[in-house]
Amino acid sequence: MCSSMKDERKIRLAEGRPEHVDVVVPLICQTSHRFFSFLYDNRPEVRDAIIAASWKAAVSIFSHKFSTVAYSDDKVVGVLIGYEATVKKEQEIAMRRVASPFADEALRQHMASSKAILLNKSPQVPDDAYYVTIISVSEEAQGSGVG
């Protein structure tokens, strides 16, 4: 046996919904705390507002429309966000529109000066691929078979 599970949980999968926003934003942020801190210039309030707006949007990198959430005992304990690579560019363009109302001039300049680093973090994906942008499980559910 490769690993042991802490406990047995009954996991239910469902489509993500806008009302999951308060649980999902921290799950997204925990996937790469350093990257998100860098991306949003160490401004967690802006980061959270942009990611929340993206989750609620119909089209955006973190849109609930492209997500599956995992429930344990009627509590969201995990999220997967992904889409066909052919729509990845559309998602990125939509994300810029979603973020725009929250980004002041200083954040826009920071992101513009960081473009090379950001491009390195978002590699080219073949058109026939499925792009998983986020997979995250809450700390209390890690090791229990959710992921």
Side-chain angles (χ1 to χ4, degrees), residues 25-44 47-48 51 121 134 139:
V25 169
L27 287 172
I28 291 170
C29 293
Q30 81 178 12
T31 62
S32 186
H33 178 73
R34 287 183 181 163
F35 174 71
F36 286 119
S37 292
F38 169 77
L39 179 63
Y40 297 109
D41 202 21
N42 294 307
R43 295 165 60 187
R47 174 202 66 205
D48 291 355
I51 293 173
K121 286 287 190 180
I134 294 289
E139 285 190 33

Side-chain angles (χ1 to χ4, degrees), residues 7-130:
D7 57 23
E8 292 292 322
R9 293 177 185 242
K10 183 172 174 140
I11 304 302
R12 181 174 57 89
L13 300 178
E15 292 179 3
R17 297 191 314 262
E19 59 266 24
H20 295 135
V21 68
D22 292 336
V23 176
V24 170
V25 169
L27 287 172
I28 291 170
C29 293
Q30 81 178 12
T31 62
S32 186
H33 178 73
R34 287 183 181 163
F35 174 71
F36 286 119
S37 292
F38 169 77
L39 179 63
Y40 297 109
D41 202 21
N42 294 307
R43 295 165 60 187
E45 70 287 349
V46 174
R47 174 202 66 205
D48 291 355
I50 291 172
I51 293 173
S54 178
W55 175 260
K56 293 175 184 177
V59 178
S60 190
I61 290 174
F62 304 124
S63 173
H64 69 281
K65 295 279 190 177
F66 300 93
S67 73
T68 300
V69 295
Y71 285 93
S72 176
D73 299 324
D74 293 324
K75 179 181 175 187
V76 174
V77 295
V79 63
L80 176 129
I81 305 171
Y83 32 82
E84 298 294 326
T86 54
V87 300
K88 183 177 182 287
K89 190 67 168 173
E90 177 186 351
Q91 304 291 53
E92 291 168 349
I93 292 167
M95 183 66 175
R96 287 194 286 275
R97 284 193 303 267
V98 167
S100 184
F102 304 98
D104 59 18
E105 188 56 34
L107 185 58
R108 284 187 190 92
Q109 287 180 2
H110 169 73
M111 289 180 151
S113 67
S114 307
K115 191 169 185 170
I117 294 168
L118 297 175
L119 289 173
N120 185 45
K121 286 287 190 180
S122 183
Q124 293 294 329
V125 178
D127 284 347
D128 62 346
Y130 185 82

